[in-house]
Amino acid sequence: MRTIGLIGGMSWESSAEYYRLINQGIRARRGPTASASCLLWSFDFAEIEALQHRGDWDGLAAMLVQAARRLEGAGADMLLLCTNTMHRVAPAITSAVSIPLLHIADPTAERIRAAGLRTVGLLGTAFTMEQDFYRGRLSERHGLEVIVPDATDRATVHRVIYEELVAGTVAPASRAAYRAIIARMVEAGAEAIVLGCTEIMLLVRPEDSAVPLFDTTAIHAEAAIDRALGGAEDRVPSAARPGYRAREGE
């Protein structure tokens, strides 16, 4: 089994889900006493959030590069960045280490394409929805058409993430707001919805959408399991396996 290096704490709410999903997946494949070989570097998200909203991406890149190098030095065979937004600095990480970084957008896009879908609605932080580092990878590398909410809805999605979900708050009113935003993206032509923030799966459920939901947290974790075990599943499109956003054990 290869050792997975997790760069987490952004927020710890979703990092805990990564740890649970990866270990449940290893147990399901290897037996009841099996668990993942993994290392976790967990940031103080208050520091990360402050730099994000100041636009200090160089400072953030330096912090994440340092974490990646420490995980590599501790014996990690691969890296997972347990957040969608911070893939904004993924190129800096990949150029600083010799072990692979499994980009969260790639297995997500592969699963969408394998399901025969091409037009997706993207939910995430304002950085993820508005900047090109994520949307561009989905469209240019994977040929997907990406729809994002309008400015008012983007502000709502972003606020709920930073004011509620990263603090572990799941509010019925926010679920209703997300449900309405999803419906508007479906009306605009979205064939599926990408939950492009690793906390959104805490709030949104399959019944909240008329089209399939692609949970990037669950998909990313499953791809890491495939890589860690190094089996034939590395070569099987994720959509060939059950569930659009199902989490192991549910």
Side-chain angles (χ1 to χ4, degrees):
M1 188 189 305
R2 299 185 183 102
T3 299
I4 302 168
L6 303 168
I7 305 176
M10 299 172 286
S11 67
W12 71 258
E13 296 284 345
S14 61
S15 299
E17 287 297 304
Y18 268 93
Y19 187 76
R20 181 181 69 81
L21 289 166
I22 290 170
N23 279 288
Q24 285 183 341
I26 293 292
R27 183 170 62 192
R29 300 190 196 188
R30 283 288 186 89
T33 63
S35 55
S37 174
C38 65
L39 300 166
L40 170 63
W41 182 278
S42 187
F43 280 100
D44 175 1
F45 187 59
E47 297 177 1
I48 299 293
E49 186 268 343
L51 292 173
Q52 286 177 339
H53 286 96
R54 287 208 300 268
D56 187 359
W57 297 102
D58 289 340
L60 288 162
M63 293 172 68
L64 269 64
V65 162
Q66 182 184 50
R69 286 173 171 164
R70 288 182 174 180
L71 288 169
E72 181 179 29
D77 297 305
M78 72 187 83
L79 294 172
L80 260 67
L81 191 48
C82 302
T83 160
N84 284 271
T85 295
M86 290 312 301
H87 278 75
R88 169 77 163 69
V89 302
I93 295 171
T94 56
S95 65
V97 296
S98 60
I99 57 176
L101 172 71
L102 179 56
H103 197 293
I104 195 169
D106 293 339
T108 300
E110 289 166 8
R111 183 173 290 196
I112 292 166
R113 286 181 58 87
L117 304 172
R118 290 295 181 271
T119 304
V120 297
L122 175 62
L123 294 178
T125 67
F127 312 112
T128 299
M129 292 186 290
E130 295 172 3
Q131 298 180 19
D132 194 53
F133 70 92
Y134 199 93
R135 291 185 304 164
R137 194 174 184 99
L138 293 177
S139 60
E140 295 164 15
R141 182 170 294 209
H142 298 284
L144 299 177
E145 180 180 348
V146 182
I147 296 170
V148 297
D150 65 23
T152 299
D153 285 347
R154 291 198 303 272
T156 297
V157 173
H158 184 87
R159 178 191 61 76
V160 169
I161 292 168
Y162 279 94
E163 295 182 7
E164 299 175 15
L165 298 182
V166 299
T169 299
V170 177
S174 296
R175 178 173 288 118
Y178 270 52
R179 188 183 299 124
I181 292 167
I182 288 170
R184 285 190 281 274
M185 286 196 291
V186 172
E187 290 176 3
E191 301 172 306
I193 303 297
V194 174
L195 305 184
C197 171
T198 52
E199 282 82 23
I200 294 179
M201 53 78 187
L202 300 172
L203 180 67
V204 175
R205 302 297 181 190
E207 58 268 25
D208 295 318
S209 174
V211 297
L213 300 176
F214 287 82
D215 176 356
T216 55
T217 304
I219 294 169
H220 203 200
E222 184 181 355
I225 294 166
D226 291 348
R227 295 284 186 91
L229 297 181
E233 287 178 299
D234 278 351
R235 300 183 294 276
V236 178
S238 296
R241 296 190 292 277
Y244 291 108
R245 72 170 301 281
R247 289 182 282 170
E248 296 287 344
E250 294 188 343

